[in-house]
Amino acid sequence: MTLLLSTGEPAGIGPDISLALAADPSVRLPALIALGDAEVLDERARRLGLTLTLERVESPQQVEGAHRPGHLPVWHFSVRDRVEPGVLSTGNAASVLEMLGAATDLCRASPNRHALVTAPVHKGVINDAGVPFTGHTEFLADRAGVPRTVMLLAAGRLRVALATTHLPLAEVSDALTPESLTSTVTLLREGLVERFGLQRPRILVCGLNPHAGEDGHLGREEIDVITPTLARLRDSGVDGLVGPLPADTAFTPRALADADAVLAMYHDQGLGPLKAVGFGEAVNVTLGLPFVRTSVDHGTALDIAGTGAAEHASLLSALLLASELVMR
């Protein structure tokens, strides 16, 4: 098995954490290959004072054996513009998308041999380059040819999935339809069973509104969409669904005690609580793809790129979980 590590936005901390992890003598991983510009990675390693050998390879097939600390094979994807840590350039967006596309194609071709682990990209600079881009999750789904995926973040036993992802808050209500929610619950349950080995997962489903709508006084999405959709799923034989629950109590220790996952209706409703307890060690998992993909739980952190202040704990967690999911 080979873990493909996309180093993300070259001006961000993706190269920093990738190199720091590869140099860490305590890290034990399967075969590992980084995707990025080899010259950029070499310059960043020198800037950070890291001692490691970068080996430029033409394809992952050249990488054999378990990862050796201090040694990092690099699948080279050239940037167009010179990279300065913390300074974005639209000219390098194409390189970021090229390496993501190549990694996706390889993982699709051999999902039992490869997994994709992604360092953060910068959505804004990709859009400024003229490419509509809402995030890794949506890009990978389109490239893999799947109609829908589910974003799930895991921090220890706490797993939080999202019914909607990178949308303005004003658009969330319209995006919550019986069809979309049915698809999300189905993919989430399948992922918990097939990827995480949970045979009868118990899923807490949040409402959209405060107090889960309070019988329609604080919004009707629970009455019109969420409750009837969950009822239809239960009638069709899907067990383990609890809710809709008020989101402010769904994340209490008592509620989570016997839950396998929480389904939040929008991005910050779910990821705020999760990152409050697991930031820096949480892992983003994309369910619904025909291969394993995990990612870090943080952004590009342009302000500390190249300074040595970035931590690689979340990246290590993402690599370890990817390895575990492929083996399962």
Side-chain angles (χ1 to χ4, degrees), residues 150-153 159-164 184 188 261-266 270-271 287:
V150 171
M151 180 188 292
L152 179 143
L153 270 84
R159 305 179 187 92
V160 178
L162 303 178
T164 62
T184 297
L188 172 57
V262 179
L263 176 59
M265 293 298 106
Y266 60 92
L271 300 195
L287 301 177

PDB file of all heavy atoms in Angstrom, residues 150-153 159-164 184 188 261-266 270-271 287:
ATOM      1  N   VAL A 150     -19.970  12.547   1.207  1.00  0.00           N
ATOM      2  CA  VAL A 150     -20.268  13.077   2.536  1.00  0.00           C
ATOM      3  C   VAL A 150     -18.951  13.405   3.227  1.00  0.00           C
ATOM      4  O   VAL A 150     -18.025  12.584   3.251  1.00  0.00           O
ATOM      5  CB  VAL A 150     -21.076  12.065   3.380  1.00  0.00           C
ATOM      6  CG1 VAL A 150     -21.179  12.531   4.830  1.00  0.00           C
ATOM      7  CG2 VAL A 150     -22.464  11.885   2.784  1.00  0.00           C
ATOM      8  N   MET A 151     -18.869  14.613   3.787  1.00  0.00           N
ATOM      9  CA  MET A 151     -17.708  15.010   4.564  1.00  0.00           C
ATOM     10  C   MET A 151     -17.907  14.594   6.008  1.00  0.00           C
ATOM     11  O   MET A 151     -18.907  14.949   6.631  1.00  0.00           O
ATOM     12  CB  MET A 151     -17.503  16.526   4.482  1.00  0.00           C
ATOM     13  CG  MET A 151     -16.303  17.027   5.284  1.00  0.00           C
ATOM     14  SD  MET A 151     -16.197  18.845   5.358  1.00  0.00           S
ATOM     15  CE  MET A 151     -15.812  19.203   3.655  1.00  0.00           C
ATOM     16  N   LEU A 152     -16.966  13.833   6.523  1.00  0.00           N
ATOM     17  CA  LEU A 152     -17.001  13.388   7.916  1.00  0.00           C
ATOM     18  C   LEU A 152     -15.670  13.722   8.558  1.00  0.00           C
ATOM     19  O   LEU A 152     -14.613  13.454   7.992  1.00  0.00           O
ATOM     20  CB  LEU A 152     -17.272  11.885   7.997  1.00  0.00           C
ATOM     21  CG  LEU A 152     -17.303  11.272   9.401  1.00  0.00           C
ATOM     22  CD1 LEU A 152     -18.378  10.195   9.492  1.00  0.00           C
ATOM     23  CD2 LEU A 152     -15.954  10.657   9.779  1.00  0.00           C
ATOM     24  N   LEU A 153     -15.709  14.314   9.743  1.00  0.00           N
ATOM     25  CA  LEU A 153     -14.494  14.555  10.512  1.00  0.00           C
ATOM     26  C   LEU A 153     -14.509  13.693  11.759  1.00  0.00           C
ATOM     27  O   LEU A 153     -15.553  13.561  12.414  1.00  0.00           O
ATOM     28  CB  LEU A 153     -14.332  16.030  10.883  1.00  0.00           C
ATOM     29  CG  LEU A 153     -13.563  16.839   9.825  1.00  0.00           C
ATOM     30  CD1 LEU A 153     -14.517  17.281   8.716  1.00  0.00           C
ATOM     31  CD2 LEU A 153     -12.848  18.032  10.417  1.00  0.00           C
ATOM     32  N   ARG A 159     -17.325  11.438  15.762  1.00  0.00           N
ATOM     33  CA  ARG A 159     -17.371  11.550  14.309  1.00  0.00           C
ATOM     34  C   ARG A 159     -18.537  12.466  13.944  1.00  0.00           C
ATOM     35  O   ARG A 159     -19.667  12.244  14.397  1.00  0.00           O
ATOM     36  CB  ARG A 159     -17.562  10.187  13.643  1.00  0.00           C
ATOM     37  CG  ARG A 159     -16.524   9.137  14.040  1.00  0.00           C
ATOM     38  CD  ARG A 159     -16.799   7.808  13.347  1.00  0.00           C
ATOM     39  NE  ARG A 159     -15.916   6.760  13.844  1.00  0.00           N
ATOM     40  CZ  ARG A 159     -16.217   5.946  14.842  1.00  0.00           C
ATOM     41  NH1 ARG A 159     -17.408   6.041  15.444  1.00  0.00           N
ATOM     42  NH2 ARG A 159     -15.365   5.022  15.231  1.00  0.00           N
ATOM     43  N   VAL A 160     -18.258  13.465  13.123  1.00  0.00           N
ATOM     44  CA  VAL A 160     -19.280  14.435  12.736  1.00  0.00           C
ATOM     45  C   VAL A 160     -19.339  14.508  11.221  1.00  0.00           C
ATOM     46  O   VAL A 160     -18.327  14.790  10.558  1.00  0.00           O
ATOM     47  CB  VAL A 160     -18.982  15.832  13.310  1.00  0.00           C
ATOM     48  CG1 VAL A 160     -20.034  16.833  12.861  1.00  0.00           C
ATOM     49  CG2 VAL A 160     -18.927  15.775  14.834  1.00  0.00           C
ATOM     50  N   ALA A 161     -20.520  14.261  10.661  1.00  0.00           N
ATOM     51  CA  ALA A 161     -20.742  14.362   9.223  1.00  0.00           C
ATOM     52  C   ALA A 161     -21.593  15.592   8.935  1.00  0.00           C
ATOM     53  O   ALA A 161     -22.295  16.107   9.817  1.00  0.00           O
ATOM     54  CB  ALA A 161     -21.426  13.104   8.698  1.00  0.00           C
ATOM     55  N   LEU A 162     -21.549  16.045   7.684  1.00  0.00           N
ATOM     56  CA  LEU A 162     -22.246  17.269   7.293  1.00  0.00           C
ATOM     57  C   LEU A 162     -23.264  16.997   6.195  1.00  0.00           C
ATOM     58  O   LEU A 162     -22.940  16.354   5.192  1.00  0.00           O
ATOM     59  CB  LEU A 162     -21.243  18.320   6.799  1.00  0.00           C
ATOM     60  CG  LEU A 162     -20.137  18.711   7.772  1.00  0.00           C
ATOM     61  CD1 LEU A 162     -19.209  19.727   7.116  1.00  0.00           C
ATOM     62  CD2 LEU A 162     -20.718  19.261   9.070  1.00  0.00           C
ATOM     63  N   ALA A 163     -24.481  17.516   6.393  1.00  0.00           N
ATOM     64  CA  ALA A 163     -25.518  17.402   5.360  1.00  0.00           C
ATOM     65  C   ALA A 163     -25.277  18.390   4.234  1.00  0.00           C
ATOM     66  O   ALA A 163     -25.659  18.141   3.093  1.00  0.00           O
ATOM     67  CB  ALA A 163     -26.896  17.625   5.980  1.00  0.00           C
ATOM     68  N   THR A 164     -24.675  19.543   4.544  1.00  0.00           N
ATOM     69  CA  THR A 164     -24.226  20.502   3.530  1.00  0.00           C
ATOM     70  C   THR A 164     -22.805  20.892   3.896  1.00  0.00           C
ATOM     71  O   THR A 164     -22.419  20.827   5.054  1.00  0.00           O
ATOM     72  CB  THR A 164     -25.113  21.758   3.477  1.00  0.00           C
ATOM     73  OG1 THR A 164     -25.054  22.437   4.745  1.00  0.00           O
ATOM     74  CG2 THR A 164     -26.563  21.393   3.172  1.00  0.00           C
ATOM     75  N   THR A 184     -27.411  11.660   1.927  1.00  0.00           N
ATOM     76  CA  THR A 184     -26.377  11.863   2.942  1.00  0.00           C
ATOM     77  C   THR A 184     -26.440  10.788   4.011  1.00  0.00           C
ATOM     78  O   THR A 184     -25.416  10.201   4.382  1.00  0.00           O
ATOM     79  CB  THR A 184     -26.529  13.248   3.590  1.00  0.00           C
ATOM     80  OG1 THR A 184     -26.329  14.254   2.595  1.00  0.00           O
ATOM     81  CG2 THR A 184     -25.523  13.442   4.714  1.00  0.00           C
ATOM     82  N   LEU A 188     -23.540   8.072   4.685  1.00  0.00           N
ATOM     83  CA  LEU A 188     -22.924   8.087   6.005  1.00  0.00           C
ATOM     84  C   LEU A 188     -23.012   6.713   6.643  1.00  0.00           C
ATOM     85  O   LEU A 188     -22.017   6.192   7.182  1.00  0.00           O
ATOM     86  CB  LEU A 188     -23.601   9.131   6.881  1.00  0.00           C
ATOM     87  CG  LEU A 188     -23.206   9.138   8.364  1.00  0.00           C
ATOM     88  CD1 LEU A 188     -21.701   9.330   8.527  1.00  0.00           C
ATOM     89  CD2 LEU A 188     -23.986  10.217   9.124  1.00  0.00           C
ATOM     90  N   ALA A 261     -21.896   8.533  15.397  1.00  0.00           N
ATOM     91  CA  ALA A 261     -21.669   9.721  14.574  1.00  0.00           C
ATOM     92  C   ALA A 261     -22.781  10.720  14.824  1.00  0.00           C
ATOM     93  O   ALA A 261     -23.875  10.356  15.265  1.00  0.00           O
ATOM     94  CB  ALA A 261     -21.615   9.362  13.090  1.00  0.00           C
ATOM     95  N   VAL A 262     -22.486  11.974  14.542  1.00  0.00           N
ATOM     96  CA  VAL A 262     -23.480  13.041  14.565  1.00  0.00           C
ATOM     97  C   VAL A 262     -23.580  13.605  13.159  1.00  0.00           C
ATOM     98  O   VAL A 262     -22.554  13.865  12.512  1.00  0.00           O
ATOM     99  CB  VAL A 262     -23.085  14.166  15.542  1.00  0.00           C
ATOM    100  CG1 VAL A 262     -24.125  15.284  15.524  1.00  0.00           C
ATOM    101  CG2 VAL A 262     -22.917  13.617  16.952  1.00  0.00           C
ATOM    102  N   LEU A 263     -24.796  13.777  12.672  1.00  0.00           N
ATOM    103  CA  LEU A 263     -25.012  14.407  11.373  1.00  0.00           C
ATOM    104  C   LEU A 263     -25.483  15.837  11.604  1.00  0.00           C
ATOM    105  O   LEU A 263     -26.584  16.065  12.109  1.00  0.00           O
ATOM    106  CB  LEU A 263     -26.048  13.634  10.550  1.00  0.00           C
ATOM    107  CG  LEU A 263     -26.417  14.262   9.196  1.00  0.00           C
ATOM    108  CD1 LEU A 263     -25.195  14.407   8.307  1.00  0.00           C
ATOM    109  CD2 LEU A 263     -27.504  13.439   8.501  1.00  0.00           C
ATOM    110  N   ALA A 264     -24.633  16.805  11.261  1.00  0.00           N
ATOM    111  CA  ALA A 264     -24.976  18.223  11.386  1.00  0.00           C
ATOM    112  C   ALA A 264     -25.536  18.720  10.063  1.00  0.00           C
ATOM    113  O   ALA A 264     -25.203  18.206   8.995  1.00  0.00           O
ATOM    114  CB  ALA A 264     -23.743  19.033  11.785  1.00  0.00           C
ATOM    115  N   MET A 265     -26.356  19.764  10.135  1.00  0.00           N
ATOM    116  CA  MET A 265     -27.002  20.261   8.930  1.00  0.00           C
ATOM    117  C   MET A 265     -26.145  21.222   8.127  1.00  0.00           C
ATOM    118  O   MET A 265     -26.350  21.383   6.930  1.00  0.00           O
ATOM    119  CB  MET A 265     -28.329  20.947   9.292  1.00  0.00           C
ATOM    120  CG  MET A 265     -29.392  20.007   9.830  1.00  0.00           C
ATOM    121  SD  MET A 265     -29.901  18.712   8.635  1.00  0.00           S
ATOM    122  CE  MET A 265     -29.100  17.260   9.350  1.00  0.00           C
ATOM    123  N   TYR A 266     -25.179  21.871   8.790  1.00  0.00           N
ATOM    124  CA  TYR A 266     -24.299  22.780   8.046  1.00  0.00           C
ATOM    125  C   TYR A 266     -22.927  22.802   8.692  1.00  0.00           C
ATOM    126  O   TYR A 266     -22.720  22.294   9.805  1.00  0.00           O
ATOM    127  CB  TYR A 266     -24.903  24.182   7.941  1.00  0.00           C
ATOM    128  CG  TYR A 266     -25.185  24.887   9.246  1.00  0.00           C
ATOM    129  CD1 TYR A 266     -24.241  25.718   9.837  1.00  0.00           C
ATOM    130  CD2 TYR A 266     -26.416  24.730   9.892  1.00  0.00           C
ATOM    131  CE1 TYR A 266     -24.505  26.376  11.037  1.00  0.00           C
ATOM    132  CE2 TYR A 266     -26.696  25.385  11.084  1.00  0.00           C
ATOM    133  CZ  TYR A 266     -25.736  26.202  11.646  1.00  0.00           C
ATOM    134  OH  TYR A 266     -25.996  26.853  12.830  1.00  0.00           O
ATOM    135  N   GLY A 270     -21.557  21.604  12.941  1.00  0.00           N
ATOM    136  CA  GLY A 270     -20.899  20.366  13.323  1.00  0.00           C
ATOM    137  C   GLY A 270     -19.425  20.507  13.627  1.00  0.00           C
ATOM    138  O   GLY A 270     -18.909  19.906  14.569  1.00  0.00           O
ATOM    139  N   LEU A 271     -18.743  21.332  12.842  1.00  0.00           N
ATOM    140  CA  LEU A 271     -17.292  21.387  12.978  1.00  0.00           C
ATOM    141  C   LEU A 271     -16.831  22.297  14.106  1.00  0.00           C
ATOM    142  O   LEU A 271     -15.713  22.146  14.609  1.00  0.00           O
ATOM    143  CB  LEU A 271     -16.659  21.807  11.649  1.00  0.00           C
ATOM    144  CG  LEU A 271     -16.951  20.858  10.481  1.00  0.00           C
ATOM    145  CD1 LEU A 271     -16.022  21.136   9.324  1.00  0.00           C
ATOM    146  CD2 LEU A 271     -16.848  19.397  10.910  1.00  0.00           C
ATOM    147  N   LEU A 287     -16.514  10.295   2.544  1.00  0.00           N
ATOM    148  CA  LEU A 287     -17.264   9.063   2.317  1.00  0.00           C
ATOM    149  C   LEU A 287     -17.986   9.140   0.968  1.00  0.00           C
ATOM    150  O   LEU A 287     -18.442  10.201   0.565  1.00  0.00           O
ATOM    151  CB  LEU A 287     -18.291   8.864   3.429  1.00  0.00           C
ATOM    152  CG  LEU A 287     -17.743   8.775   4.857  1.00  0.00           C
ATOM    153  CD1 LEU A 287     -18.890   8.648   5.857  1.00  0.00           C
ATOM    154  CD2 LEU A 287     -16.769   7.618   4.996  1.00  0.00           C
TER     155      LEU A 287
END
